[in-house]
Amino acid sequence: MSTLHKHPVPSPVKDRVTVYAPATVANLGVGFDIVGMALDSPGDKVTVEAWDQPGVDLVEIIGDGGKLPTDPEKNTACIAAFETLRALGVETGVRLWLDKGLPLASGLGSSAASAAAAAVAVNELFGAPLDRVELLPPCVEAEAAVSGRHADNVAPALLGGIVLIISVDPPHVISMPVPDNLHIALVTANVALPTVEARAVLPSHVSLRTMVTQTALVAGFVHALHVNDLTLLANVVERDTVVSPARTALIPGLEQAQIAARAAGALAAGISGAGPTIFALCDDPLMAERVTVAFEAVYIALGIECTTHIARPYMLGATVLDS
Ligand code: HSE
């Protein structure tokens, strides 16, 4: 089995490892399945210990209100841990503890954060022979099991910053420049929206005209990041012609929140990942404060409970906390 792996089969070098992995905003308006950004809060933590049995023993989940599956084959942290053990060529297993800081089915990359934390923790336990890009396939397998085969949450959760996904299989990702002074105001309506449901409403085909429009917007988005042009960024982010329009009916308060965010000075606002969280890009912290107040007013008027917070881009990606 070891001949399948480019590294010799490693042994544990630590007793226990804990890793934090961040929330992520996928798509960023126009980059469906190909762009994602890591946030400095909230995030998930995974702790692993070496286990002399094969596989993954899920010892405990906290912070999920009892909602996550405890079957290791259905839990993204366990799947990513298992796939990382396989990638390492290790035949023993790990015991795993998951501490959820992220709300479930909220559009903040909850399943991806758990997967990224677990993959990095297992790799670290065995001396970190794999690099972050080599940890992408285990995380994509985990994501595919629960929400779809896309890497726009797991890649920034692993690498930090804003990541462009050129391809998932084989993994090819590029870290892009992150604009200075980016503050992200977020509002999460208290309604769960599983990613599979939000993907089910998407068109399976688009016209050539739509493809041209969307490609131009994505190109503008990438250029804006490279030249730190927030005006251009704002100009393209809200003009997604394919995915956001198809999901509008699923996201309570989306249009009102976008209008309120702009009125409060935000550069642009849109659906975070598959929703229902809505993000607004701001270029100063006071503007972000004003936007969260405006978001709250929208949901109070709609009679829907919500949570708001302000985040900054998180440049580190999944972070080893202690061993
Ligand atoms: N790109 C994915 C989607 C992200 O929008 O369905 C899900 O978090």
Side-chain angles (χ1 to χ4, degrees):
M1 184 161 183
S2 58
T3 52
L4 292 173
H5 304 276
K6 75 178 192 191
H7 307 280
V9 176
S11 302
V13 298
K14 296 174 178 175
D15 296 331
R16 165 179 271 244
V17 176
T18 298
V19 171
Y20 170 87
T24 44
V25 174
N27 305 337
L28 285 166
V30 287
F32 176 68
D33 276 4
I34 62 166
V35 176
M37 172 171 60
L39 303 178
D40 64 356
S41 69
D44 285 357
K45 284 186 216 161
V46 168
T47 299
V48 294
E49 279 181 7
W51 192 36
D52 58 7
Q53 308 291 308
V56 178
D57 177 30
L58 177 55
V59 182
E60 187 181 26
I61 308 177
I62 59 172
D64 68 326
K67 291 188 188 139
L68 278 177
T70 52
D71 176 353
E73 290 183 14
K74 297 190 177 132
N75 181 291
T76 58
C78 297
I79 298 168
F82 181 78
E83 292 294 332
T84 304
L85 290 167
R86 233 161 56 122
L88 292 166
V90 170
E91 288 176 5
T92 54
V94 291
R95 306 186 77 210
L96 187 149
W97 290 256
L98 171 59
D99 181 353
K100 288 297 299 178
L102 273 168
L104 311 182
S106 62
L108 287 168
S110 169
S111 53
S114 298
V120 171
V122 170
N123 188 44
E124 188 72 18
L125 192 70
F126 288 90
L130 302 175
D131 66 29
R132 293 293 167 107
V133 175
E134 289 172 314
L135 293 176
L136 255 177
C139 294
V140 168
E141 285 313 315
E143 190 77 304
V146 301
S147 85
R149 199 168 191 83
H150 53 88
D152 51 342
N153 294 109
V154 288
L158 282 170
L159 298 166
I162 301 178
V163 181
L164 173 67
I165 289 86
I166 302 288
S167 85
V168 175
D169 301 309
H172 182 184
V173 297
I174 296 176
S175 289
M176 289 194 291
V178 177
D180 308 330
N181 287 326
L182 200 55
H183 299 257
I184 304 103
L186 299 128
V187 61
T188 306
N190 195 5
V191 238
L193 175 54
T195 299
V196 278
E197 285 176 29
R199 291 175 86 81
V201 301
L202 301 180
S204 52
H205 294 85
V206 296
S207 69
L208 188 63
R209 170 60 34 209
T210 301
M211 189 276 280
V212 170
T213 306
Q214 196 76 9
T215 310
L217 293 171
V218 177
F221 178 90
V222 172
H223 181 71
L225 293 184
H226 276 274
V227 298
N228 198 27
D229 183 343
L230 293 180
T231 308
L232 176 60
L233 196 69
N235 182 279
V236 297
V237 159
E238 287 195 21
R239 287 164 59 196
D240 169 30
T241 54
V242 180
V243 173
S244 308
R247 287 177 168 166
T248 300
L250 298 178
I251 317 283
L254 174 63
E255 284 161 333
Q256 299 96 313
Q258 283 180 304
I259 292 167
R262 278 193 298 268
L267 302 167
I271 306 169
S272 175
T277 294
I278 295 166
F279 72 92
L281 303 180
C282 304
D283 64 3
D284 85 64
L286 288 178
M287 179 195 295
E289 289 283 351
R290 284 197 299 274
V291 173
T292 56
V293 171
F295 278 156
E296 272 165 16
V298 165
Y299 285 94
I300 287 170
L302 291 170
I304 299 172
E305 276 182 40
C306 72
T307 311
T308 59
H309 79 283
I310 295 169
R312 305 281 329 258
Y314 187 59
M315 302 309 295
L316 298 180
T319 305
V320 180
L321 295 183
D322 52 58
S323 303

